[in-house]
Amino acid sequence: MIERWGVAPDTDVVVHEPDEVLVRAGDQLLLYRGVPVGLVRAVVDAASPPAPLGDLLDRLPAGTDRATAEDVVRRLEGVVFRRLPDEEDRGPAAPLVVVVGDGPLAEAVAGAMAAPGALAVAAAALPPAPPTPSEWERAGPAAGHPAGDADALPEGVRLVVVAAEDAPYGAVMAVAADAARKRVPVLFVVPDGGEVVVGPTFVPGASACFECERRAALLGPRAGDGLLAAALPALTLGRAHPARRPAAAALAAEEAHRAVLDPGRATLLAAAVRVGDRPPAPAPLLPDERCTTCAAAAPSPDGPLARQAAVAVALAADRRAGIRVRPRPGPADDAPRTVGVIGGGTAGYLAALALRARVPWLDVTMVESTRFGVIGVGEATTPRLVEFLHSPDGLGLDIVDFHRRVLPVWKLGVHYDWGPPGGDGFAWPFQYGAVHEAVCYGGSLDDHCLAEMLMRARRVPVFATGDGGVTSRLGAVPFAYHLHNARFLTYLRETADAAGVHHVDATVASVECTPAGDEVAALVTDGGGRLAFDLYVDCTGFRSLLLEQAMGSPYHSYASSLFTDAAVVADVPHDGAVKPFTLAETMDSGWCWNIAFEDEDHRGYVFSSAFASVDEAAEEMARKNPGMGDHWSLRFRSGRHEDFWRGNVIGIGNAYAFVEPLASTSIHMTLLELDLLTTNFPASRRDRAVPDGLNRTLGRMWDNLRGWLAVQYRFNTRLDTPFWQECRRTVDLATAADKVALFRERAPLAVASPVAKERLDPFFLSRYAADYFGQDYVYDVMLGGQGVGARWVPPATPRAAWEEAVRRRRAVVDYALPAAAALELARERRPDLLEALVGGPSFIGDELY
Ligand code: FAD
């Protein structure tokens, strides 16, 4: 008995990095790590036609390591490689699948299934049209199926795939009834409106059939008896949209192969998938107890597929009954209904949009004063903004439209021109990387992940494939945006208008409080108008008009940790290369940001007014930036209020808290505040637990951020000016003190902590919302990058393996496109590169983690 190995149908090995393999199987994309690419290609070639494993290994090019090749075959079993039924068990022919249908959809399905050697595919026509509904009604189900006894299936068939177009439902039901009598499973592929429904896989006696699916889709759970249900057989299927046929066919072929060769992996045994505009997602489907086809079916013999079907149906039934489908409670009678957002800066508009999108019963009014204007800086962000703007769980805003209107630049992290004198500094990329190995084997953070290497090469994760095409890994290497402040605000304003946010242009002249002084009663505008809301969201920036001035929330300053309090801002020409990162450059009395745009760089010198005047700072900046344009300056303070939420006032953005912008964290923290506010939005005005809990949670998160930034001032030894001497001597590490002490004794922090697993996961967009700046990993980056003295434990990865990984990454960086070229390409000619990021199939397969 010799077992044969073959390649799954529709499998394509799309290589991105030498140590990572992206495999397309049907319409799934799966990423494997630590699998040598050249070897995968060689083994895939060797596995066609299918062969026993020994023969397959013999076919490999001379010099190939057989043990590693065998390991690769076994690791990728299931998706890339399949064990085929033994020749003797199978008999001379491959298992027979009959594709029933007359049109191009059936042709596409049969074509997609024809993988060499795996299955034998035969075509069959649909049976003749069924009787009219009235004939069917007169005869009744007991008289047999309306299409008559088709009895068309040959013996020995293992699966029937009905791919019908332009046909009466009754013809499909007739095939199902015939198959059910012969106890053969059936997979249905039918057009419905502009979509194609793939599924269910009907296992007679166990799972739902076409008629069950149509009853659920057309008649709903309660209807089903009576004339309408009786008329079902005479309804007619339309024609599949030509653009949908290939995807539907690929999906059907994948399911057919699974059902016949690998039943444990069949996915449509209690589900159907709609192939249309939206990403295909299986919708659960249960057998309908009034279904005439199922009622007449003889149960399938006990076997792997029947058991899998029974399990899938039981789980789908549990899900239907379970907690997930219970409706959320609506708002209580005294729930807050009206919200005034005071202040039209970034924080105000993001707050208004988030409240509109996530608390549907709220009436949201934006009150802003064009007299005051906005702070006008705040252009570097974190990946959280990308997810918040575009994901379906966030605002769901069109990513392509956003790129065309706002012209963002992608940012992979922050490069710190920082640390010991004379060095190149280090990167804090948004991708998690091998900090431990990089420091222990290389003595710095250089090469610790792909994003870090791309940043140094000024490239982005869009790769030339060598055949004139490109392929994107933007979904696997997290990125953020550089945003032109005015363009971004215009976009937010227009989006808020379209979302139904009311707008009042007025200056709030005074605030009326309730007699007890514990809530705001109304706002009085400079024109004498009176505005009253149930809740007030204070987004008035550093003025903190409501939270601080009206409600008196105490202010906790971070000045003992963060000494800077002023900035000089100017535009500077660049050399034509767009930097895909924010630069933080050490300066005499602080540091200078560089936020790259396609046409120029925006720079800002953040300094301590105790060590330099505005003129001195501007002079130093101009000296270091030839061609610098006119400058302007501003003042700020670092710290937070005691309350995020006091009475009926919530502070968002600078009105609640702000830390100096070294790590571009302000918008990130604003989004965190909005996430927590909207997901915990109280059902009643009397509820106090939510505000009290959020005050504590957010206070801790801001304090963690303060500590992490303090580390960046305390240990930067790049310059020996009075400002930096003072930092090294007196910066209060605050919440970071314990972490620094532990790091010195046993680095890295992430190794023995519960977040160690994070290092393996490059795709942390959603997790980025958590208390990121309190995590051990970001401390390791910052302390390791600055070369803070520590006893490092030996890494688990051997040096040779680390060096090999670096070598492979280096080779890939050569294929990556420069930031400007990739941006222009995605925006103008290949919007699919952006669209694939949102809601499309994940770039990261479940198998990896
Ligand atoms: P503002 O932009 O100041 O808006 C306040 C609003 O309140 C205005 O619309 C104003 O008209 C209105 N208002 C005030 N008083 C009244 C009144 N009485 N009546 C009616 N309306 C009123 N963040 C980042 O994420 N990345 C960065 O790179 C970054 N860099 C920064 C650099 C510096 C030097 C500074 C100081 C901040 C930086 N920030 C950065 C923070 C950034 O400024 C804020 O995150 C962001 O702009 C939000 O500001 P805001 O909306 O809270 O306040």
Side-chain angles (χ1 to χ4, degrees), residues 341-354 366 492 537 539 652-653 670 674:
V341 177
I342 323 303
T346 316
Y349 275 103
L350 289 172
L353 284 166
M366 162 67 70
L492 290 178
V537 180
C539 297
I652 301 277
T670 292
L674 290 172

Side-chain angles (χ1 to χ4, degrees), residues 342-348 367-370 372-381 485 506-508 539-543 545 567 593 595 606 634 636 652-655 658 661 664-668 670:
I342 323 303
T346 316
V367 183
E368 70 173 311
S369 167
T370 39
F372 286 129
V374 298
I375 188 161
V377 280
E379 303 180 306
T381 64
N485 194 270
T507 301
V508 177
C539 297
T540 57
F542 292 125
R543 283 186 188 81
L545 191 68
W593 77 67
I595 297 179
V606 177
L634 69 159
F636 58 83
I652 301 277
N654 296 352
F658 175 74
S664 345
T665 46
S666 228
I667 291 177
H668 176 95
T670 292

Side-chain angles (χ1 to χ4, degrees), residues 130-411:
T132 63
S134 51
E135 285 166 340
W136 162 244
E137 208 189 352
R138 273 199 303 280
H145 203 275
D149 188 359
D151 228 355
L153 294 177
E155 288 303 317
V157 58
R158 298 271 292 274
L159 176 75
V160 174
V161 181
V162 182
E165 289 174 291
D166 277 342
Y169 283 16
V172 179
M173 290 157 75
V175 178
D178 181 36
R181 266 196 304 281
K182 294 181 170 158
R183 306 159 85 182
V184 174
V186 188
L187 169 65
F188 302 94
V189 188
V190 294
D192 187 21
E195 299 174 318
V196 178
V197 182
V198 182
T201 302
F202 169 44
V203 180
S207 60
C209 70
F210 169 79
E211 187 184 333
C212 304
E213 194 278 333
R214 287 291 85 191
R215 280 174 177 264
L218 302 179
L219 306 175
R222 272 194 298 276
D225 301 322
L227 189 60
L228 194 57
L232 211 57
L235 300 180
T236 307
L237 291 165
R239 236 176 142 63
H241 191 294
R244 310 274 182 247
R245 283 188 193 120
L251 209 62
E254 179 68 15
E255 173 71 2
H257 278 83
R258 284 179 176 147
V260 175
L261 302 175
D262 195 2
R265 292 174 54 83
T267 53
L268 301 176
L269 289 163
V273 173
R274 288 183 165 266
V275 178
D277 285 335
R278 280 163 300 161
L285 189 66
L286 294 173
D288 188 312
E289 59 193 21
R290 290 149 305 184
C291 170
T292 53
T293 312
C294 290
S300 294
D302 187 29
L305 194 63
R307 287 186 185 194
Q308 285 298 330
V311 171
V313 168
L315 291 175
D318 267 5
R319 265 205 302 280
R320 183 173 283 184
I323 193 157
R324 268 192 261 177
V325 295
R326 280 184 203 147
R328 285 173 58 139
D333 288 345
D334 68 342
R337 301 273 172 178
T338 59
V339 174
V341 177
I342 323 303
T346 316
Y349 275 103
L350 289 172
L353 284 166
L355 287 164
R356 277 296 295 158
R358 292 178 171 177
V359 192
W361 66 81
L362 278 184
D363 191 64
V364 181
T365 302
M366 162 67 70
V367 183
E368 70 173 311
S369 167
T370 39
R371 206 178 89 198
F372 286 129
V374 298
I375 188 161
V377 280
E379 303 180 306
T381 64
T382 68
R384 181 65 197 127
L385 182 70
V386 179
E387 189 183 44
F388 183 86
L389 289 175
H390 310 301
S391 78
D393 289 344
L395 299 181
L397 300 173
D398 185 324
I399 190 166
V400 177
D401 176 59
F402 180 83
H403 275 71
R404 291 181 176 161
R405 286 163 64 188
V406 183
L407 306 179
V409 161
W410 299 328
K411 157 185 177 178

